[in-house]
Amino acid sequence: MAMRGLTQFIGDIRNCANKEEERKRVDKEMANIRKHFKEATKLTAYQKKKYVWKMLYIYVLGYEVDFGHMEALNLITAQGYSEKMVGYLACVLLLSETNEFLRLIINSVKNDLMSANEEIQGLALACVANVGGREFAETLAGDVQRILLSNHSRPQARKKAALCMLRLLRKYPDAFGEDGIGGNQDQRDSLYDLLEDPSLGVVTATMSLLIGLVSHNPELWTDSVNKCCKLLSKLNHPNAAKEFGQEYVYYKTINPWLQVKILRLLQYYPPPERHEVHTKLCDVLLHIISDAQMQKNVNTNNSAHSVVFEAINYVIHMETNKELISSAVSMLGQRMTASNQPNYRYLALDAMQRMSHIPDAAQQFKKHQETIIKSLKDNDVSLRRRALDVLYSMCDSKNSEQVVGELLDYLQGGDYAIREELVLRVAILAERFSPNLQWYVDTILKLMTLAGDYVSDHIWMRVVQIVTNNEELQLYAAETCYRSLKSESVHESMIKCGGYILGEFGHHIAHKNETSPDNQFMILKEKFHACEQWETKQILISSCVKLVNVHPQIKGAVVELLKKHTTTIDAELQQRAIEYLALTAPGKETMLETVLDVMPNFPERESILTKKIKERERVSTTDRTAAQIKSEQNKDDEDGPQTVDLSASAVKSSASRAKSQLSPSQNPHNDLLDLTAEEPSHMGGGGGGGGGGNLDDLLGAPSQPAATQKSQNLGGLDDLLGGGSPPPPAHGAQQGSLMDDMLGLGIYEDPIINVQAQLAVQGNVAKILLRYTNKSFSEISAFKTAVQQVKIPAMLFQVQDAATSIAPNATITQQVQMQAKTYFSEPPKLALSFSAQGSPRQVTTWLPVHVCKFQQPVTCNKDQYFAVWGKITGAPNESVNVFKSPRPIVRTDVENVVKTINYSALQGVDPNPNNVCGAAKINLGAGDVYCVIRLEIDSAQQAYKLTVKTNNAQVTREGGWGCNAL
């Protein structure tokens, strides 16, 4: 029924000529509504609805509505559907989850959830999902669950109930009790039965809920794999359209949303173990990928390819089925040629890049190499970046010359958007897959010529290291650098590199007239005066003095150059000139020869671009990809490497093994307050049974006896994965702590009592010394304390009894020790109850025990870092967060933030020097959590892209990761 007054009011608002006129009309209407609400008992149901509708319209216009909330909520208790709809809508729009008015309608909402009218049930479910706070969730979660699982519920109510439960699960997972949703087998079976409901709407909503449940607790829902495989097979059956009806056929694809959800859920688990289920699933995936054809209708293409690309994601997750991989690569190659569909080309390139670690796929990508190279010239910069990623991933020792050559040719085109990244990729590929060292030198020198502004110092320094460490290369490098420096226009990166090499190895070419010592010195002198950077001049003046050490005949000219710069404005250059001048004085020949002797070989570990160059030379010229080389380099042990399963089921089994190996003295229920006892092996992750071997599994390192592991400081990802942590301190030694001696940390204070905490952490055990100070002039009596966990039990506590009274101006202490069993997102609470000044009081505050306190930073090199990074891909163990910075970005500040949250700020790991990488381990009793992060910085846009990868989906999902601090 139309409301004439509401229609007239909306028309008046639309006819207002300006904002001021609109405000006057709104103020007039608000006054009228306020007047009528003062006599609410005289209003009819129609009038109440009309005025509330007007309030809501005013609110959505952007005006504040600070009255009438009670009148609106009273409509929820009415019997009619139209009144309830207005009331619930007002509740959703006007009230937040912390508003105390919500308590007044809990019983009404509960009654509506039990209603036999599915429309009224739908209103209540929508309100719970959109508004409900913690009290709503804890009170009504059981009713929502009953609607979903009841055999008498209508499909429309079940759909809303499933989505409402998903909302509550995401925000308040503990609202469903200690066991949570599916805590018993009957509940799980009932939820699985909904996947066979005749209504695909119910099935789709249930699948959304199931994905949320699996992301929280994958081990509990392992049976869902077979159910989802069966459902996916039914959806792709030739007669599926007849079975499910045409209403869910979207542009010739049967419920593409449901198929995508099924494929995403399957990616939480390893492939099915039952042979018949695995075979059927592979047949369905092959059918999905092979039958996808480009159509003229855009919507038909989108609906079909949404399923196809998700199927390819699952193929990437499986990794082992060659037929599926071949079919996926073929389909991606076809989409690459779809010149009028840039979105498909982008998705194809993205999938190729993620498949590149699979050897079978990487080999087949070479068939499409020319097409990928053409994508480098696309107008869309996102496509160019993806093409660059794919070329980088598919490059190997056989096609490196062609790929690097194409990238260098592309570099001349002036694509400044990706030039810095392109330069770094070329430098890495040139070293990693160089057919010979001379080609590598030529490539890097050409790179400096084409894009010298984007060549960082560590690139030309790497050339110096390689030339220094390979004697047979020194003659060729000196000749090449001399020719490059003779050019009129030479970039300063080239001058630095060439000047250093001539100073060290110019004597190899001094016998030729063209490259005589005098000519070499003239070239260096000419570039010395031409360059602008003081750092370059410092390198060149050192090179000139190096020449004097080998060729005394040019000493006079060099001394003259040194004298001119003994008073230069640059302190470093001035110091060098004075010191070198002193070394060239008569009688100092021996000292000059000693000081300026040939540089020794660089340690290979100092390489910050790629792996050791000697290992590159051992790579044969057979057709192998970067992924294969990485895999083969892990096979140092004669038994070969073992693969680590970072899936949730594997993590669970690992934790179970750790628990089963605890000795009675390591039982977490024993005396926790005895910090002087020897630390259990599973806490420190040392050579004991609880944590050893994970690094060996992941990187293929040979296992070592426990005694050897204790005697070595393996560092790096050995600590991260629990394979080489240092042993716990001996009896009586100082406890290692993330925050030792944190004296005077006030956690609560009021006019009567002050509470301070001192925290020490070792492994997964935290010890807190609490100090309670009576600030008043009267005694505190009936003093009691309790430690409470906010969510599911994740910690074991042992609390020392405290005194029952505190004298005026006196202080008492209490020790609390806790052991972290599993990940927790909220710290425990400290509850105090006491009597003071004649009245009882209760206080609740947070204890300073966040999960980051159990986290320790880990140092590792580039290869170890990316070995772990490549093992963890996709949801739920990977999360990406893009956010803006409120202030200009300073990299050192970013590193400090990373260190503050107990991550190591790794140096020389990321190919982009502006990015920050970190690694850490969270010590938990149920099994350590390994975390790696990559923070990509866009200083121009003041933005961050934070990628987090862990072997625990809950940690990935709930971890704050320091975004607020950044």
PDB file of all heavy atoms in Angstrom, residues 421-435:
ATOM      1  N   GLU A 421      61.910  -3.160 -12.434  1.00  0.00           N
ATOM      2  CA  GLU A 421      61.724  -4.589 -12.214  1.00  0.00           C
ATOM      3  C   GLU A 421      62.340  -5.397 -13.347  1.00  0.00           C
ATOM      4  O   GLU A 421      62.937  -6.454 -13.136  1.00  0.00           O
ATOM      5  CB  GLU A 421      60.229  -4.883 -12.085  1.00  0.00           C
ATOM      6  CG  GLU A 421      59.922  -6.333 -11.773  1.00  0.00           C
ATOM      7  CD  GLU A 421      58.434  -6.565 -11.599  1.00  0.00           C
ATOM      8  OE1 GLU A 421      57.658  -5.589 -11.716  1.00  0.00           O
ATOM      9  OE2 GLU A 421      58.053  -7.711 -11.352  1.00  0.00           O
ATOM     10  N   LEU A 422      62.206  -4.893 -14.560  1.00  0.00           N
ATOM     11  CA  LEU A 422      62.752  -5.595 -15.720  1.00  0.00           C
ATOM     12  C   LEU A 422      64.274  -5.689 -15.641  1.00  0.00           C
ATOM     13  O   LEU A 422      64.860  -6.742 -15.928  1.00  0.00           O
ATOM     14  CB  LEU A 422      62.320  -4.853 -16.993  1.00  0.00           C
ATOM     15  CG  LEU A 422      62.795  -5.431 -18.330  1.00  0.00           C
ATOM     16  CD1 LEU A 422      62.285  -6.848 -18.511  1.00  0.00           C
ATOM     17  CD2 LEU A 422      62.306  -4.553 -19.478  1.00  0.00           C
ATOM     18  N   VAL A 423      64.928  -4.623 -15.234  1.00  0.00           N
ATOM     19  CA  VAL A 423      66.388  -4.633 -15.110  1.00  0.00           C
ATOM     20  C   VAL A 423      66.835  -5.688 -14.112  1.00  0.00           C
ATOM     21  O   VAL A 423      67.774  -6.448 -14.361  1.00  0.00           O
ATOM     22  CB  VAL A 423      66.886  -3.228 -14.682  1.00  0.00           C
ATOM     23  CG1 VAL A 423      68.333  -3.289 -14.230  1.00  0.00           C
ATOM     24  CG2 VAL A 423      66.735  -2.243 -15.841  1.00  0.00           C
ATOM     25  N   LEU A 424      66.164  -5.748 -12.990  1.00  0.00           N
ATOM     26  CA  LEU A 424      66.547  -6.718 -11.973  1.00  0.00           C
ATOM     27  C   LEU A 424      66.324  -8.146 -12.458  1.00  0.00           C
ATOM     28  O   LEU A 424      67.150  -9.036 -12.225  1.00  0.00           O
ATOM     29  CB  LEU A 424      65.740  -6.458 -10.698  1.00  0.00           C
ATOM     30  CG  LEU A 424      66.159  -7.258  -9.472  1.00  0.00           C
ATOM     31  CD1 LEU A 424      67.626  -7.017  -9.147  1.00  0.00           C
ATOM     32  CD2 LEU A 424      65.286  -6.891  -8.289  1.00  0.00           C
ATOM     33  N   ARG A 425      65.221  -8.384 -13.156  1.00  0.00           N
ATOM     34  CA  ARG A 425      64.959  -9.731 -13.676  1.00  0.00           C
ATOM     35  C   ARG A 425      66.026 -10.139 -14.695  1.00  0.00           C
ATOM     36  O   ARG A 425      66.491 -11.276 -14.700  1.00  0.00           O
ATOM     37  CB  ARG A 425      63.574  -9.772 -14.317  1.00  0.00           C
ATOM     38  CG  ARG A 425      62.419  -9.525 -13.371  1.00  0.00           C
ATOM     39  CD  ARG A 425      62.228 -10.655 -12.395  1.00  0.00           C
ATOM     40  NE  ARG A 425      61.139 -10.426 -11.483  1.00  0.00           N
ATOM     41  CZ  ARG A 425      59.881 -10.819 -11.675  1.00  0.00           C
ATOM     42  NH1 ARG A 425      59.556 -11.445 -12.791  1.00  0.00           N
ATOM     43  NH2 ARG A 425      58.973 -10.590 -10.768  1.00  0.00           N
ATOM     44  N   VAL A 426      66.393  -9.215 -15.558  1.00  0.00           N
ATOM     45  CA  VAL A 426      67.416  -9.529 -16.565  1.00  0.00           C
ATOM     46  C   VAL A 426      68.738  -9.875 -15.886  1.00  0.00           C
ATOM     47  O   VAL A 426      69.432 -10.829 -16.263  1.00  0.00           O
ATOM     48  CB  VAL A 426      67.593  -8.355 -17.544  1.00  0.00           C
ATOM     49  CG1 VAL A 426      68.805  -8.567 -18.433  1.00  0.00           C
ATOM     50  CG2 VAL A 426      66.349  -8.183 -18.401  1.00  0.00           C
ATOM     51  N   ALA A 427      69.100  -9.112 -14.874  1.00  0.00           N
ATOM     52  CA  ALA A 427      70.358  -9.371 -14.174  1.00  0.00           C
ATOM     53  C   ALA A 427      70.362 -10.741 -13.517  1.00  0.00           C
ATOM     54  O   ALA A 427      71.355 -11.480 -13.579  1.00  0.00           O
ATOM     55  CB  ALA A 427      70.603  -8.281 -13.129  1.00  0.00           C
ATOM     56  N   ILE A 428      69.243 -11.121 -12.919  1.00  0.00           N
ATOM     57  CA  ILE A 428      69.171 -12.427 -12.261  1.00  0.00           C
ATOM     58  C   ILE A 428      69.220 -13.545 -13.279  1.00  0.00           C
ATOM     59  O   ILE A 428      69.949 -14.535 -13.114  1.00  0.00           O
ATOM     60  CB  ILE A 428      67.883 -12.512 -11.416  1.00  0.00           C
ATOM     61  CG1 ILE A 428      67.962 -11.530 -10.256  1.00  0.00           C
ATOM     62  CG2 ILE A 428      67.675 -13.926 -10.897  1.00  0.00           C
ATOM     63  CD1 ILE A 428      66.688 -11.441  -9.449  1.00  0.00           C
ATOM     64  N   LEU A 429      68.456 -13.422 -14.366  1.00  0.00           N
ATOM     65  CA  LEU A 429      68.448 -14.474 -15.384  1.00  0.00           C
ATOM     66  C   LEU A 429      69.807 -14.607 -16.054  1.00  0.00           C
ATOM     67  O   LEU A 429      70.251 -15.719 -16.360  1.00  0.00           O
ATOM     68  CB  LEU A 429      67.365 -14.179 -16.430  1.00  0.00           C
ATOM     69  CG  LEU A 429      65.914 -14.270 -15.957  1.00  0.00           C
ATOM     70  CD1 LEU A 429      64.969 -13.903 -17.084  1.00  0.00           C
ATOM     71  CD2 LEU A 429      65.604 -15.665 -15.440  1.00  0.00           C
ATOM     72  N   ALA A 430      70.458 -13.478 -16.304  1.00  0.00           N
ATOM     73  CA  ALA A 430      71.762 -13.522 -16.962  1.00  0.00           C
ATOM     74  C   ALA A 430      72.774 -14.293 -16.130  1.00  0.00           C
ATOM     75  O   ALA A 430      73.614 -15.019 -16.671  1.00  0.00           O
ATOM     76  CB  ALA A 430      72.259 -12.096 -17.226  1.00  0.00           C
ATOM     77  N   GLU A 431      72.693 -14.148 -14.833  1.00  0.00           N
ATOM     78  CA  GLU A 431      73.627 -14.888 -13.978  1.00  0.00           C
ATOM     79  C   GLU A 431      73.190 -16.331 -13.791  1.00  0.00           C
ATOM     80  O   GLU A 431      73.997 -17.255 -13.842  1.00  0.00           O
ATOM     81  CB  GLU A 431      73.726 -14.207 -12.617  1.00  0.00           C
ATOM     82  CG  GLU A 431      74.675 -14.941 -11.675  1.00  0.00           C
ATOM     83  CD  GLU A 431      74.763 -14.293 -10.309  1.00  0.00           C
ATOM     84  OE1 GLU A 431      74.218 -13.191 -10.144  1.00  0.00           O
ATOM     85  OE2 GLU A 431      75.377 -14.905  -9.428  1.00  0.00           O
ATOM     86  N   ARG A 432      71.889 -16.522 -13.580  1.00  0.00           N
ATOM     87  CA  ARG A 432      71.418 -17.863 -13.237  1.00  0.00           C
ATOM     88  C   ARG A 432      71.554 -18.837 -14.394  1.00  0.00           C
ATOM     89  O   ARG A 432      71.876 -20.005 -14.200  1.00  0.00           O
ATOM     90  CB  ARG A 432      69.951 -17.781 -12.794  1.00  0.00           C
ATOM     91  CG  ARG A 432      69.338 -19.109 -12.417  1.00  0.00           C
ATOM     92  CD  ARG A 432      67.938 -18.931 -11.893  1.00  0.00           C
ATOM     93  NE  ARG A 432      67.926 -18.203 -10.628  1.00  0.00           N
ATOM     94  CZ  ARG A 432      66.820 -17.818 -10.006  1.00  0.00           C
ATOM     95  NH1 ARG A 432      65.655 -18.054 -10.560  1.00  0.00           N
ATOM     96  NH2 ARG A 432      66.887 -17.174  -8.856  1.00  0.00           N
ATOM     97  N   PHE A 433      71.329 -18.388 -15.606  1.00  0.00           N
ATOM     98  CA  PHE A 433      71.304 -19.307 -16.742  1.00  0.00           C
ATOM     99  C   PHE A 433      72.295 -18.905 -17.835  1.00  0.00           C
ATOM    100  O   PHE A 433      72.052 -19.136 -19.019  1.00  0.00           O
ATOM    101  CB  PHE A 433      69.890 -19.367 -17.340  1.00  0.00           C
ATOM    102  CG  PHE A 433      68.847 -19.798 -16.359  1.00  0.00           C
ATOM    103  CD1 PHE A 433      67.874 -18.911 -15.915  1.00  0.00           C
ATOM    104  CD2 PHE A 433      68.842 -21.086 -15.844  1.00  0.00           C
ATOM    105  CE1 PHE A 433      66.917 -19.295 -15.008  1.00  0.00           C
ATOM    106  CE2 PHE A 433      67.883 -21.483 -14.920  1.00  0.00           C
ATOM    107  CZ  PHE A 433      66.918 -20.587 -14.509  1.00  0.00           C
ATOM    108  N   SER A 434      73.403 -18.317 -17.453  1.00  0.00           N
ATOM    109  CA  SER A 434      74.378 -17.888 -18.457  1.00  0.00           C
ATOM    110  C   SER A 434      75.035 -19.105 -19.103  1.00  0.00           C
ATOM    111  O   SER A 434      75.524 -19.999 -18.409  1.00  0.00           O
ATOM    112  CB  SER A 434      75.441 -17.002 -17.804  1.00  0.00           C
ATOM    113  OG  SER A 434      76.101 -17.715 -16.779  1.00  0.00           O
ATOM    114  N   PRO A 435      75.064 -19.171 -20.442  1.00  0.00           N
ATOM    115  CA  PRO A 435      75.761 -20.289 -21.108  1.00  0.00           C
ATOM    116  C   PRO A 435      77.267 -20.237 -20.875  1.00  0.00           C
ATOM    117  O   PRO A 435      77.940 -21.256 -20.871  1.00  0.00           O
ATOM    118  CB  PRO A 435      75.405 -20.095 -22.583  1.00  0.00           C
ATOM    119  CG  PRO A 435      75.026 -18.656 -22.710  1.00  0.00           C
ATOM    120  CD  PRO A 435      74.439 -18.264 -21.403  1.00  0.00           C
TER     121      PRO A 435
END
